[in-house]
PDB file of all heavy atoms in Angstrom:
ATOM      1  N   LYS A   8     -54.728 -23.063 -64.920  1.00  0.00           N
ATOM      2  CA  LYS A   8     -53.945 -24.021 -65.607  1.00  0.00           C
ATOM      3  C   LYS A   8     -53.896 -25.407 -64.836  1.00  0.00           C
ATOM      4  O   LYS A   8     -54.017 -26.403 -65.375  1.00  0.00           O
ATOM      5  CB  LYS A   8     -52.558 -23.476 -65.713  1.00  0.00           C
ATOM      6  CG  LYS A   8     -51.594 -24.214 -66.562  1.00  0.00           C
ATOM      7  CD  LYS A   8     -50.225 -23.544 -66.717  1.00  0.00           C
ATOM      8  CE  LYS A   8     -49.285 -24.474 -67.502  1.00  0.00           C
ATOM      9  NZ  LYS A   8     -47.940 -23.788 -67.562  1.00  0.00           N
ATOM     10  N   GLN A   9     -53.658 -25.288 -63.510  1.00  0.00           N
ATOM     11  CA  GLN A   9     -53.669 -26.391 -62.740  1.00  0.00           C
ATOM     12  C   GLN A   9     -54.975 -27.254 -62.738  1.00  0.00           C
ATOM     13  O   GLN A   9     -54.968 -28.470 -62.873  1.00  0.00           O
ATOM     14  CB  GLN A   9     -53.255 -26.087 -61.287  1.00  0.00           C
ATOM     15  CG  GLN A   9     -51.801 -25.582 -61.067  1.00  0.00           C
ATOM     16  CD  GLN A   9     -51.492 -25.053 -59.751  1.00  0.00           C
ATOM     17  OE1 GLN A   9     -52.480 -24.595 -58.977  1.00  0.00           O
ATOM     18  NE2 GLN A   9     -50.283 -25.059 -59.288  1.00  0.00           N
ATOM     19  N   ILE A  10     -56.030 -26.579 -62.667  1.00  0.00           N
ATOM     20  CA  ILE A  10     -57.405 -27.202 -62.609  1.00  0.00           C
ATOM     21  C   ILE A  10     -57.593 -27.866 -64.041  1.00  0.00           C
ATOM     22  O   ILE A  10     -58.090 -28.990 -64.177  1.00  0.00           O
ATOM     23  CB  ILE A  10     -58.519 -26.209 -62.343  1.00  0.00           C
ATOM     24  CG1 ILE A  10     -58.324 -25.784 -60.840  1.00  0.00           C
ATOM     25  CG2 ILE A  10     -59.869 -26.839 -62.603  1.00  0.00           C
ATOM     26  CD1 ILE A  10     -59.226 -24.689 -60.414  1.00  0.00           C
ATOM     27  N   ARG A  11     -57.196 -27.157 -65.127  1.00  0.00           N
ATOM     28  CA  ARG A  11     -57.385 -27.701 -66.471  1.00  0.00           C
ATOM     29  C   ARG A  11     -56.635 -29.055 -66.577  1.00  0.00           C
ATOM     30  O   ARG A  11     -57.053 -29.988 -67.211  1.00  0.00           O
ATOM     31  CB  ARG A  11     -56.889 -26.754 -67.458  1.00  0.00           C
ATOM     32  CG  ARG A  11     -58.061 -25.748 -67.937  1.00  0.00           C
ATOM     33  CD  ARG A  11     -57.734 -25.353 -69.405  1.00  0.00           C
ATOM     34  NE  ARG A  11     -58.774 -24.407 -69.609  1.00  0.00           N
ATOM     35  CZ  ARG A  11     -58.690 -23.040 -69.571  1.00  0.00           C
ATOM     36  NH1 ARG A  11     -57.500 -22.464 -69.336  1.00  0.00           N
ATOM     37  NH2 ARG A  11     -59.674 -22.268 -69.828  1.00  0.00           N
ATOM     38  N   GLN A  12     -55.417 -29.031 -65.926  1.00  0.00           N
ATOM     39  CA  GLN A  12     -54.583 -30.330 -66.029  1.00  0.00           C
ATOM     40  C   GLN A  12     -55.293 -31.377 -65.318  1.00  0.00           C
ATOM     41  O   GLN A  12     -55.269 -32.484 -65.729  1.00  0.00           O
ATOM     42  CB  GLN A  12     -53.231 -29.999 -65.359  1.00  0.00           C
ATOM     43  CG  GLN A  12     -52.288 -31.092 -65.465  1.00  0.00           C
ATOM     44  CD  GLN A  12     -51.918 -31.439 -66.872  1.00  0.00           C
ATOM     45  OE1 GLN A  12     -51.810 -30.585 -67.728  1.00  0.00           O
ATOM     46  NE2 GLN A  12     -51.611 -32.774 -67.135  1.00  0.00           N
ATOM     47  N   VAL A  13     -55.875 -31.048 -64.119  1.00  0.00           N
ATOM     48  CA  VAL A  13     -56.566 -32.175 -63.363  1.00  0.00           C
ATOM     49  C   VAL A  13     -57.764 -32.678 -64.181  1.00  0.00           C
ATOM     50  O   VAL A  13     -57.963 -33.884 -64.312  1.00  0.00           O
ATOM     51  CB  VAL A  13     -57.050 -31.513 -61.999  1.00  0.00           C
ATOM     52  CG1 VAL A  13     -58.083 -32.523 -61.365  1.00  0.00           C
ATOM     53  CG2 VAL A  13     -55.911 -31.295 -61.147  1.00  0.00           C
ATOM     54  N   LEU A  14     -58.465 -31.821 -64.818  1.00  0.00           N
ATOM     55  CA  LEU A  14     -59.643 -32.240 -65.712  1.00  0.00           C
ATOM     56  C   LEU A  14     -59.155 -33.028 -66.919  1.00  0.00           C
ATOM     57  O   LEU A  14     -59.702 -34.032 -67.294  1.00  0.00           O
ATOM     58  CB  LEU A  14     -60.444 -30.999 -66.106  1.00  0.00           C
ATOM     59  CG  LEU A  14     -61.304 -30.282 -65.153  1.00  0.00           C
ATOM     60  CD1 LEU A  14     -61.789 -29.018 -65.603  1.00  0.00           C
ATOM     61  CD2 LEU A  14     -62.431 -31.126 -64.712  1.00  0.00           C
ATOM     62  N   VAL A  15     -58.070 -32.555 -67.532  1.00  0.00           N
ATOM     63  CA  VAL A  15     -57.556 -33.414 -68.641  1.00  0.00           C
ATOM     64  C   VAL A  15     -57.164 -34.808 -68.209  1.00  0.00           C
ATOM     65  O   VAL A  15     -57.451 -35.801 -68.913  1.00  0.00           O
ATOM     66  CB  VAL A  15     -56.419 -32.570 -69.403  1.00  0.00           C
ATOM     67  CG1 VAL A  15     -55.580 -33.497 -70.321  1.00  0.00           C
ATOM     68  CG2 VAL A  15     -56.915 -31.329 -70.050  1.00  0.00           C
ATOM     69  N   GLU A  16     -56.387 -34.813 -67.138  1.00  0.00           N
ATOM     70  CA  GLU A  16     -55.956 -36.187 -66.681  1.00  0.00           C
ATOM     71  C   GLU A  16     -57.067 -37.023 -66.223  1.00  0.00           C
ATOM     72  O   GLU A  16     -57.064 -38.227 -66.443  1.00  0.00           O
ATOM     73  CB  GLU A  16     -55.033 -35.957 -65.499  1.00  0.00           C
ATOM     74  CG  GLU A  16     -53.608 -35.356 -65.805  1.00  0.00           C
ATOM     75  CD  GLU A  16     -52.763 -34.986 -64.579  1.00  0.00           C
ATOM     76  OE1 GLU A  16     -53.055 -35.408 -63.533  1.00  0.00           O
ATOM     77  OE2 GLU A  16     -51.680 -34.392 -64.874  1.00  0.00           O
ATOM     78  N   SER A  17     -58.188 -36.444 -65.736  1.00  0.00           N
ATOM     79  CA  SER A  17     -59.335 -37.286 -65.282  1.00  0.00           C
ATOM     80  C   SER A  17     -60.090 -37.875 -66.479  1.00  0.00           C
ATOM     81  O   SER A  17     -60.712 -38.861 -66.373  1.00  0.00           O
ATOM     82  CB  SER A  17     -60.287 -36.407 -64.433  1.00  0.00           C
ATOM     83  OG  SER A  17     -61.002 -35.549 -65.238  1.00  0.00           O
ATOM     84  N   GLU A  18     -59.888 -37.281 -67.661  1.00  0.00           N
ATOM     85  CA  GLU A  18     -60.634 -37.765 -68.814  1.00  0.00           C
ATOM     86  C   GLU A  18     -59.789 -38.662 -69.695  1.00  0.00           C
ATOM     87  O   GLU A  18     -60.292 -39.231 -70.650  1.00  0.00           O
ATOM     88  CB  GLU A  18     -61.023 -36.582 -69.706  1.00  0.00           C
ATOM     89  CG  GLU A  18     -62.066 -35.616 -69.124  1.00  0.00           C
ATOM     90  CD  GLU A  18     -63.425 -36.393 -68.716  1.00  0.00           C
ATOM     91  OE1 GLU A  18     -63.734 -37.267 -69.502  1.00  0.00           O
ATOM     92  OE2 GLU A  18     -63.897 -36.197 -67.585  1.00  0.00           O
ATOM     93  N   GLN A  19     -58.575 -38.875 -69.277  1.00  0.00           N
ATOM     94  CA  GLN A  19     -57.683 -39.825 -69.995  1.00  0.00           C
ATOM     95  C   GLN A  19     -58.174 -41.204 -69.854  1.00  0.00           C
ATOM     96  O   GLN A  19     -58.632 -41.510 -68.784  1.00  0.00           O
ATOM     97  CB  GLN A  19     -56.228 -39.585 -69.742  1.00  0.00           C
ATOM     98  CG  GLN A  19     -55.670 -38.282 -70.165  1.00  0.00           C
ATOM     99  CD  GLN A  19     -54.198 -38.075 -69.682  1.00  0.00           C
ATOM    100  OE1 GLN A  19     -53.690 -38.730 -68.821  1.00  0.00           O
ATOM    101  NE2 GLN A  19     -53.499 -37.044 -70.306  1.00  0.00           N
ATOM    102  N   ILE A  20     -57.858 -42.032 -70.801  1.00  0.00           N
ATOM    103  CA  ILE A  20     -58.248 -43.512 -70.814  1.00  0.00           C
ATOM    104  C   ILE A  20     -57.379 -44.090 -69.664  1.00  0.00           C
ATOM    105  O   ILE A  20     -56.196 -43.921 -69.562  1.00  0.00           O
ATOM    106  CB  ILE A  20     -58.000 -44.140 -72.136  1.00  0.00           C
ATOM    107  CG1 ILE A  20     -58.861 -43.529 -73.144  1.00  0.00           C
ATOM    108  CG2 ILE A  20     -58.172 -45.669 -72.001  1.00  0.00           C
ATOM    109  CD1 ILE A  20     -58.647 -44.037 -74.567  1.00  0.00           C
ATOM    110  N   ARG A  21     -58.098 -44.910 -68.882  1.00  0.00           N
ATOM    111  CA  ARG A  21     -57.390 -45.623 -67.797  1.00  0.00           C
ATOM    112  C   ARG A  21     -56.656 -46.877 -68.339  1.00  0.00           C
ATOM    113  O   ARG A  21     -57.150 -47.519 -69.179  1.00  0.00           O
ATOM    114  CB  ARG A  21     -58.367 -46.109 -66.730  1.00  0.00           C
ATOM    115  CG  ARG A  21     -59.011 -45.052 -65.918  1.00  0.00           C
ATOM    116  CD  ARG A  21     -59.912 -45.636 -64.914  1.00  0.00           C
ATOM    117  NE  ARG A  21     -61.272 -45.828 -65.513  1.00  0.00           N
ATOM    118  CZ  ARG A  21     -62.245 -46.568 -65.069  1.00  0.00           C
ATOM    119  NH1 ARG A  21     -62.011 -47.173 -63.850  1.00  0.00           N
ATOM    120  NH2 ARG A  21     -63.368 -46.703 -65.600  1.00  0.00           N
ATOM    121  N   ARG A  22     -55.525 -47.056 -67.802  1.00  0.00           N
ATOM    122  CA  ARG A  22     -54.734 -48.219 -68.044  1.00  0.00           C
ATOM    123  C   ARG A  22     -54.951 -49.150 -66.861  1.00  0.00           C
ATOM    124  O   ARG A  22     -54.592 -48.868 -65.750  1.00  0.00           O
ATOM    125  CB  ARG A  22     -53.267 -47.973 -68.230  1.00  0.00           C
ATOM    126  CG  ARG A  22     -52.891 -46.908 -69.274  1.00  0.00           C
ATOM    127  CD  ARG A  22     -52.676 -47.558 -70.582  1.00  0.00           C
ATOM    128  NE  ARG A  22     -52.419 -46.613 -71.670  1.00  0.00           N
ATOM    129  CZ  ARG A  22     -53.142 -46.385 -72.638  1.00  0.00           C
ATOM    130  NH1 ARG A  22     -54.247 -46.978 -72.979  1.00  0.00           N
ATOM    131  NH2 ARG A  22     -52.714 -45.440 -73.615  1.00  0.00           N
ATOM    132  N   GLU A  23     -55.471 -50.369 -67.279  1.00  0.00           N
ATOM    133  CA  GLU A  23     -55.780 -51.407 -66.202  1.00  0.00           C
ATOM    134  C   GLU A  23     -55.278 -52.671 -66.641  1.00  0.00           C
ATOM    135  O   GLU A  23     -55.285 -52.967 -67.832  1.00  0.00           O
ATOM    136  CB  GLU A  23     -57.349 -51.434 -65.858  1.00  0.00           C
ATOM    137  CG  GLU A  23     -57.747 -50.062 -65.309  1.00  0.00           C
ATOM    138  CD  GLU A  23     -59.253 -50.067 -65.114  1.00  0.00           C
ATOM    139  OE1 GLU A  23     -59.979 -50.608 -65.936  1.00  0.00           O
ATOM    140  OE2 GLU A  23     -59.737 -49.563 -64.122  1.00  0.00           O
ATOM    141  N   ALA A  24     -54.986 -53.549 -65.628  1.00  0.00           N
ATOM    142  CA  ALA A  24     -54.619 -54.896 -65.980  1.00  0.00           C
ATOM    143  C   ALA A  24     -55.720 -55.641 -66.722  1.00  0.00           C
ATOM    144  O   ALA A  24     -56.969 -55.247 -66.465  1.00  0.00           O
ATOM    145  CB  ALA A  24     -54.223 -55.643 -64.747  1.00  0.00           C
ATOM    146  N   ASP A  25     -55.431 -56.591 -67.420  1.00  0.00           N
ATOM    147  CA  ASP A  25     -56.504 -57.331 -68.240  1.00  0.00           C
ATOM    148  C   ASP A  25     -57.467 -58.123 -67.372  1.00  0.00           C
ATOM    149  O   ASP A  25     -58.570 -58.455 -67.737  1.00  0.00           O
ATOM    150  CB  ASP A  25     -55.850 -58.220 -69.240  1.00  0.00           C
ATOM    151  CG  ASP A  25     -55.253 -57.526 -70.298  1.00  0.00           C
ATOM    152  OD1 ASP A  25     -55.492 -56.413 -70.589  1.00  0.00           O
ATOM    153  OD2 ASP A  25     -54.313 -58.122 -71.058  1.00  0.00           O
ATOM    154  N   ASP A  26     -57.056 -58.378 -66.140  1.00  0.00           N
ATOM    155  CA  ASP A  26     -57.825 -59.230 -65.302  1.00  0.00           C
ATOM    156  C   ASP A  26     -58.494 -58.572 -64.077  1.00  0.00           C
ATOM    157  O   ASP A  26     -58.904 -59.158 -63.135  1.00  0.00           O
ATOM    158  CB  ASP A  26     -57.056 -60.470 -64.775  1.00  0.00           C
ATOM    159  CG  ASP A  26     -55.935 -60.045 -63.843  1.00  0.00           C
ATOM    160  OD1 ASP A  26     -55.533 -58.837 -63.854  1.00  0.00           O
ATOM    161  OD2 ASP A  26     -55.291 -60.980 -63.264  1.00  0.00           O
ATOM    162  N   VAL A  27     -58.482 -57.222 -64.192  1.00  0.00           N
ATOM    163  CA  VAL A  27     -59.066 -56.491 -62.955  1.00  0.00           C
ATOM    164  C   VAL A  27     -60.600 -56.626 -62.928  1.00  0.00           C
ATOM    165  O   VAL A  27     -61.219 -56.787 -63.901  1.00  0.00           O
ATOM    166  CB  VAL A  27     -58.731 -54.965 -63.227  1.00  0.00           C
ATOM    167  CG1 VAL A  27     -59.417 -54.340 -64.354  1.00  0.00           C
ATOM    168  CG2 VAL A  27     -58.937 -54.171 -61.893  1.00  0.00           C
ATOM    169  N   GLY A  28     -61.022 -56.814 -61.580  1.00  0.00           N
ATOM    170  CA  GLY A  28     -62.434 -57.018 -61.364  1.00  0.00           C
ATOM    171  C   GLY A  28     -63.230 -55.737 -61.256  1.00  0.00           C
ATOM    172  O   GLY A  28     -62.782 -54.676 -61.291  1.00  0.00           O
ATOM    173  N   PRO A  29     -64.563 -55.967 -60.995  1.00  0.00           N
ATOM    174  CA  PRO A  29     -65.435 -54.762 -60.917  1.00  0.00           C
ATOM    175  C   PRO A  29     -65.258 -53.891 -59.706  1.00  0.00           C
ATOM    176  O   PRO A  29     -65.603 -52.758 -59.801  1.00  0.00           O
ATOM    177  CB  PRO A  29     -66.864 -55.450 -60.873  1.00  0.00           C
ATOM    178  CG  PRO A  29     -66.679 -56.921 -60.378  1.00  0.00           C
ATOM    179  CD  PRO A  29     -65.307 -57.228 -60.853  1.00  0.00           C
ATOM    180  N   SER A  30     -64.588 -54.505 -58.674  1.00  0.00           N
ATOM    181  CA  SER A  30     -64.355 -53.538 -57.523  1.00  0.00           C
ATOM    182  C   SER A  30     -63.361 -52.427 -57.767  1.00  0.00           C
ATOM    183  O   SER A  30     -63.410 -51.364 -57.244  1.00  0.00           O
ATOM    184  CB  SER A  30     -63.936 -54.409 -56.240  1.00  0.00           C
ATOM    185  OG  SER A  30     -62.741 -55.160 -56.614  1.00  0.00           O
ATOM    186  N   ALA A  31     -62.614 -52.681 -58.799  1.00  0.00           N
ATOM    187  CA  ALA A  31     -61.657 -51.655 -59.239  1.00  0.00           C
ATOM    188  C   ALA A  31     -62.463 -50.461 -59.848  1.00  0.00           C
ATOM    189  O   ALA A  31     -61.958 -49.328 -59.790  1.00  0.00           O
ATOM    190  CB  ALA A  31     -60.755 -52.256 -60.277  1.00  0.00           C
ATOM    191  N   GLU A  32     -63.561 -50.725 -60.456  1.00  0.00           N
ATOM    192  CA  GLU A  32     -64.369 -49.581 -61.007  1.00  0.00           C
ATOM    193  C   GLU A  32     -64.895 -48.787 -59.813  1.00  0.00           C
ATOM    194  O   GLU A  32     -64.808 -47.540 -59.966  1.00  0.00           O
ATOM    195  CB  GLU A  32     -65.583 -50.260 -61.818  1.00  0.00           C
ATOM    196  CG  GLU A  32     -66.300 -49.191 -62.479  1.00  0.00           C
ATOM    197  CD  GLU A  32     -65.693 -48.621 -63.821  1.00  0.00           C
ATOM    198  OE1 GLU A  32     -64.555 -49.103 -64.191  1.00  0.00           O
ATOM    199  OE2 GLU A  32     -66.276 -47.690 -64.381  1.00  0.00           O
TER     200      GLU A  32
END
């Protein structure tokens, strides 16, 4: 259950600021 949660969270869409640069990737 814990591992599934980690996998689900890792696949969620990231919320990032509009002006974030490529180093954030």
Side-chain angles (χ1 to χ4, degrees):
K8 186 177 177 184
Q9 291 171 337
I10 291 170
R11 274 206 179 101
Q12 183 64 33
V13 169
L14 285 168
V15 166
E16 288 173 9
S17 75
E18 293 303 318
Q19 291 177 343
I20 295 175
R21 290 182 275 165
R22 303 273 183 240
E23 296 173 322
D25 290 339
D26 62 347
V27 69
S30 57
E32 188 73 3

